[in-house]
Amino acid sequence: DEEFDELCFEFGLELDEITSEKDIISKEKGDGKAEGASDAILYKIDVPANRYDLLCLEGLVRGLQVFKERINLPRYKKIMPAKGEGQRLIITEETTHVRPHAVAAVLRNITFTKERYDSFIDLQEKLHQNICRKRALVAIGTHDLDTITGPFTFTAKAPSEIKFKPLNQSQEYTASQLMDLYRTDSHLRHYLHLIENKPLYPIIYDSNGVVLSMPPIINGDHTKISLNTRNVFIECTGTDITKAKIVLDILVTMFSEYCEKPFSVEAAEVIYPNGKTHIYPELAYRREKVKPEFINKKIGISESPSNLAKLLTRMCLKSHVTGNGNNIEIEIPPTRADIIHACDIVEDAAIAYGYNNIQMTIPKTYTIANQLPLNKLTELLRLDLAAAGFTEALTFALCSQEDIADKLGMDISATKAVHIANPKTAEFQVARTSLLPGLLKTIAANRKMPLPLKLFEISDIVVKDPSTDVGARNYRHLCAVYYNKSPGFEIIHGLLDRVMQLLEIPPNQENGYMLKATEGSAFFPGRCAEIIAKGQSIGKLGVLHPDVITKFELTMPCSALEINIEPFV
């Protein structure tokens, strides 16, 4: 286990845990439910999201074998069937508005076992969740070719006109009935929305009108694959042709290993509505050139060009040195769609070299770090506010709309709050525009503590600002509250004077600070003052309105101060 863990780490993967089905079930549902589950050891391996070629056992083992230099990287071949004998997939005009793209291929004379079959289904599921974006971009269908006859037609029809027996069901349903049937299905209901509201549903037929599948929902039962299947027809339909090609390439390269002629795939012809034809899978190999010094410099090593080529070859990127060692030519196989730029090649060289083997060096440039002035001021103020007897709180930067608007007696539109587009909970709908609600919620959660409660927080608030490049701006605010049987306005006022004393702002009108009576929706009438410093309003202090106090589930009077400290940096 330790050796395997080490190997995974060297290859850029992480062995997450060593477990068994029994362990997993007992962890999730308790020991009672785990009886009879398998004790077989399972490895949970974390694979980077861009490495689609490692998502099944076949690809992972192949990758590790090449990495260990036990095997050479196989060469994937596309076999063109004799003229007129190849499978054809005809796309009709109707698909344009639902799922316009399709690609196809055939795995000939394949031998399945229970393990291979499970892995084949499992890889499709993983690709669906990952690169296919839960089937929104691509949906995969795999069929037993011997149960159907080509050419195949990919079209779109009204739901009422589609009728077939779906996978693992005993009777025929129309497409509309299927939607109702799967609405309660824990697995399939997540995909219904992709076509539910479209006037036409995508559907694939063979030449005798047998339904292969209704992508992206379900395959037909007629063409389902079993352990005895010898020839597999694979179709991928989608809204993104590039992703569909990648998915098809990954599927056929992983499982062509089990064909009679290993690593060979029979091509299929796809005919577009405009009459153009295209042969899939593309299985495109391409060559890139990278200078050895570029790789060495980026990683911080000094390897010879031939060593670098060897390192890259171990990462499934077959490489050799060209032009007197000035260039490394790298062949990128169809399994590595993640190699987009030279940097991806450099990264693989670094993984093969071993991150732990890169010597740590002190950077050649001398720089002296300095604290950001705003953070320095914040740290200094935190110490002195604590010395004044206040306790620091750290509250969430996100809050609910009620917290910053209704509960403070304001309208949400007046707050200029930044809204979260898809909040997971009602507690986190907007970014805070004031620190006060967070502190009041903290007091509400600590009502059992002995009075008085004196809290402060110095953190950022966020407001919309169309003039910035991101459309919002942060301000560093200081907020303090005093909660006791009497409002304690004088204590908060005293704290303000202390802060100003520390900032060396004198209490006068010209170049210092002053208080000016004002009204605030959150404050008691006549008990609220605006703080003017350096010629601008920096915040308010006062006694909170009884309505605000009850809305935050508090029972005692409370006075508060909130100012923007950025003008003092």
Side-chain angles (χ1 to χ4, degrees), residues 465-509:
D465 180 351
S467 67
T468 61
D469 55 346
V470 290
R473 189 185 288 279
N474 289 18
Y475 290 105
R476 187 68 50 91
H477 273 203
L478 178 163
C479 183
V481 292
Y482 176 80
Y483 178 73
N484 201 359
K485 292 193 170 76
S486 64
F489 182 82
E490 66 285 355
I491 288 171
I492 284 292
H493 192 177
L495 184 73
L496 172 72
D497 289 348
R498 173 71 182 136
V499 169
M500 291 301 161
Q501 185 185 5
L502 292 163
L503 293 169
E504 296 180 358
I505 311 283
N508 61 38
Q509 203 163 345

Side-chain angles (χ1 to χ4, degrees), residues 398 401 418-424 428-431:
L398 299 177
Q401 294 190 21
V418 175
H419 292 254
I420 309 293
N422 50 347
K424 284 271 182 284
F428 299 144
Q429 295 170 320
V430 289

Side-chain angles (χ1 to χ4, degrees), residues 5 22 30 41 47 104 117 132 157-158 177 246 255 261 274 286 313 357 368 370-371 412 455 565:
D5 190 6
K22 199 169 195 169
I41 297 291
V47 176
Y117 176 82
C132 305
K157 287 187 164 183
Q177 289 167 333
I246 294 172
F255 285 89
K261 294 182 190 152
N274 60 9
R286 71 174 211 273
T313 304
N357 301 329
I368 295 168
N370 233 339
Q371 203 175 3
I412 187 76
L455 298 182
I565 60 166

Side-chain angles (χ1 to χ4, degrees), residues 372-420:
L372 195 69
L374 180 60
N375 286 343
K376 191 171 179 180
L377 174 65
T378 303
E379 291 299 330
L380 291 167
L381 280 171
R382 278 180 176 142
L383 281 173
D384 281 298
L385 285 168
F390 280 72
T391 305
E392 184 170 17
L394 259 177
T395 63
F396 290 119
L398 299 177
C399 58
S400 70
Q401 294 190 21
E402 281 78 48
D403 290 342
I404 54 167
D406 308 1
K407 289 185 182 176
L408 298 181
M410 285 175 74
D411 187 61
I412 187 76
S413 55
T415 59
K416 288 198 191 153
V418 175
H419 292 254
I420 309 293

Side-chain angles (χ1 to χ4, degrees), residues 19-38:
T19 176
S20 68
E21 261 179 43
K22 199 169 195 169
D23 284 354
I24 296 171
I25 296 172
S26 65
K27 245 185 221 166
E28 287 176 2
K29 300 178 179 166
D31 295 337
K33 293 268 168 65
E35 270 181 41
S38 158

Side-chain angles (χ1 to χ4, degrees), residues 273-385:
N274 60 9
K276 282 195 179 141
T277 66
H278 204 297
I279 305 292
Y280 293 105
E282 290 196 339
L283 291 187
Y285 282 86
R286 71 174 211 273
R287 292 175 189 278
E288 296 285 348
K289 281 188 177 154
V290 180
K291 293 204 177 307
E293 54 269 28
F294 175 77
I295 299 179
N296 279 329
K297 188 177 163 202
K298 288 278 181 222
I299 304 173
I301 55 177
S302 51
E303 287 291 288
S304 68
S306 59
N307 274 2
L308 289 173
K310 203 182 249 159
L311 290 176
L312 288 167
T313 304
R314 286 176 58 204
M315 295 300 289
C316 300
L317 299 172
K318 202 168 157 195
S319 308
H320 61 272
V321 182
T322 61
N324 311 331
N326 295 337
N327 262 325
I328 297 177
E329 192 175 274
I330 298 124
E331 184 178 56
I332 292 148
T335 46
R336 293 298 303 272
D338 57 303
I339 305 282
I340 298 168
H341 183 274
C343 289
D344 299 309
I345 294 170
V346 174
E347 181 191 12
D348 269 15
I351 291 173
Y353 184 80
Y355 284 178
N356 288 348
N357 301 329
I358 301 171
Q359 290 298 311
M360 285 197 179
T361 53
I362 290 170
K364 303 250 190 315
T365 44
Y366 288 108
T367 55
I368 295 168
N370 233 339
Q371 203 175 3
L372 195 69
L374 180 60
N375 286 343
K376 191 171 179 180
L377 174 65
T378 303
E379 291 299 330
L380 291 167
L381 280 171
R382 278 180 176 142
L383 281 173
D384 281 298
L385 285 168

